[in-house]
Amino acid sequence: MRQGVREEWKGISLTTEPRLLVGWREPHRRLDALRVKLHQDVFTELAELCRPSVTKIQNYAERPFENFAELDDEEYFWYPHALLPQRHSQEDMPTAEDDTADLVRLVKGVDGLPDATRDDLDEPNYSFYSICWPYRDSMIGFVSRMNPVATLKPGVRYFQYGDAMTTARRPDFALKEGADLVIGEDGTAILSPYSFQTLLGDVGVSFDHVQRDMTIVRKALAGSINLTPEADEALLSEASRTRGMAKRLRLIPGRLEAIGLDAVSLREVLTKHEVDPALILDDNDHFSFDQEHVAVFFDAIECRYFEDDLSSERRRADRYSTR
């Protein structure tokens, strides 16, 4: 165990009675789950599945969660529950940012969830599961972004082999070793940022830095081409709507540092690639555009327009990288 390990990760015991929940999220609805009854014969196996994640959170370096950042080797992100939305009623009007709070609520309240029936296990749309253990007067949950029944294909037959092949009973669950998230008492350890962001669709989490990023972009553009109030509002609205636009906003200041942006050069470049400069620039050489043309603004700054050298066809790069 590394020095300085978070207090709540010390002394985790996987020797008590575990719980298992399987969960899903229908479109425009909040997360929900069922509890799966467990026989004591599986307790040891479930503990072994969780143990690698315990080793990681007790030995890996901890970093505060950052949107769009990548983890280095032997690191995990920490997301404190104090930052989560404080809504607990399933009857409340759902919003996407409630998903993380829902997941914490489901793990900590696993004993109060309805029990899964045999028919429930034939449902193909589970999107995650969590192995939960009593810990510090609450629960600790090892969450995996995986449908535990998805690999069990209808019509497939299972066999085992010793000295000869014999039939084997079709399993109901397939659980993987390790976890993508570890939900503790005070916060969540994120071992897989991709799973954290794609499983839960956390608009509140993914976009909590948009306002700050927007302030940085305003300052960066102030010395070259200012934003009109309409363009400012459009850029903020679009970056608050999708993760892709939020990420592009985050990267714009670094791009502006690397280029010498001025209105004359930008008009020339857009004209060269047969893009009407009036889509994003007004007569006063200010950025002026509506929400529909925010993508054009990003494309121009990122220089995504190019011409095929062989066919002279004009194209736009969906992805770009240095070479």
Side-chain angles (χ1 to χ4, degrees):
M1 187 180 300
R2 68 176 174 84
Q3 289 187 339
V5 65
R6 182 170 292 276
E7 187 64 32
E8 72 173 284
W9 298 149
K10 298 178 180 178
I12 295 176
S13 172
L14 304 179
T15 59
T16 54
E17 181 178 343
R19 282 74 159 160
L20 175 67
L21 66 84
V22 292
W24 67 94
R25 175 163 58 89
E26 297 180 8
H28 310 300
R29 296 181 180 273
R30 296 173 63 169
L31 294 178
D32 209 345
L34 297 171
R35 178 180 172 180
V36 178
K37 293 181 179 179
L38 302 175
H39 190 279
Q40 63 181 10
D41 287 353
V42 306
F43 291 1
T44 300
E45 290 286 349
L46 294 180
E48 291 304 312
L49 293 178
C50 298
R51 207 170 303 282
S53 295
V54 175
T55 300
K56 289 179 179 180
I57 61 177
Q58 290 180 341
N59 291 279
Y60 281 13
E62 179 181 295
R63 288 173 51 186
F65 176 71
E66 298 177 73
N67 283 318
F68 317 123
E70 297 293 333
L71 288 170
D72 292 329
D73 291 340
E74 298 190 357
E75 289 184 337
Y76 73 86
F77 284 130
W78 168 257
Y79 193 94
H81 293 162
L83 299 180
L84 297 175
Q86 299 299 309
R87 293 176 65 180
H88 306 287
S89 172
Q90 284 284 77
E91 300 305 318
D92 290 342
M93 181 65 67
T95 60
E97 64 264 28
D98 290 326
D99 289 350
T100 308
D102 278 347
L103 186 60
V104 174
R105 174 182 56 79
L106 292 171
V107 167
K108 294 187 175 184
V110 61
D111 285 340
L113 294 176
D115 290 332
T117 65
R118 172 60 259 182
D119 289 341
D120 290 326
L121 300 185
D122 293 327
E123 171 61 46
N125 295 323
Y126 295 114
S127 55
F128 68 95
Y129 68 87
S130 178
I131 303 171
C132 309
W133 303 82
Y135 183 59
R136 295 169 60 124
D137 298 322
S138 183
M139 289 280 176
I140 184 170
F142 296 81
V143 181
S144 293
R145 185 189 65 88
M146 169 184 165
N147 184 344
V149 301
T151 57
L152 310 177
K153 299 178 181 179
V156 173
R157 298 294 182 264
Y158 297 84
F159 303 88
Q160 61 187 18
Y161 188 81
D163 294 331
M165 188 173 76
T166 60
T167 59
R169 180 180 175 273
R170 176 186 182 276
D172 293 317
F173 285 92
L175 309 181
K176 69 174 185 177
E177 185 178 86
D180 298 318
L181 313 172
V182 180
I183 294 179
E185 182 178 23
D186 299 321
T188 293
I190 302 169
L191 298 168
S192 168
Y194 176 78
S195 295
F196 181 63
Q197 293 163 345
T198 59
L199 166 63
L200 303 177
D202 289 295
V203 176
V205 171
S206 296
F207 302 132
D208 58 0
H209 294 305
V210 166
Q211 288 283 358
R212 184 191 67 184
D213 293 340
M214 191 66 203
T215 299
I216 296 172
V217 169
R218 291 187 190 106
K219 291 180 179 178
L221 288 172
S224 55
I225 308 175
N226 289 320
L227 290 163
T228 63
E230 294 77 14
D232 189 292
E233 181 180 354
L235 189 56
L236 178 60
S237 297
E238 194 66 6
S240 300
R241 190 179 67 84
T242 70
R243 289 192 68 254
M245 290 299 184
K247 184 173 183 177
R248 295 177 80 175
L249 182 72
R250 167 68 59 88
L251 299 176
I252 282 294
R255 174 66 177 165
L256 291 173
E257 288 182 4
I259 62 177
L261 183 66
D262 64 83
V264 173
S265 298
L266 183 58
R267 286 182 183 278
E268 291 177 354
V269 169
L270 291 172
T271 301
K272 173 185 174 182
H273 294 290
E274 298 184 355
V275 178
D276 185 359
L279 293 176
I280 59 173
L281 291 168
D282 64 15
D283 293 338
N284 297 316
D285 286 338
H286 293 159
F287 279 121
S288 178
F289 48 84
D290 55 19
Q291 200 165 335
E292 181 181 354
H293 293 105
V294 167
V296 178
F297 164 79
F298 281 126
D299 290 344
I301 300 298
E302 296 162 354
C303 200
R304 293 201 179 196
Y305 299 111
F306 69 100
E307 184 176 290
D308 184 347
D309 290 335
L310 297 179
S311 69
S312 298
E313 182 181 51
R314 299 187 184 278
R315 297 182 179 177
R316 174 193 173 277
D318 289 328
R319 297 178 182 272
Y320 65 94
S321 62
T322 58
R323 57 183 180 181

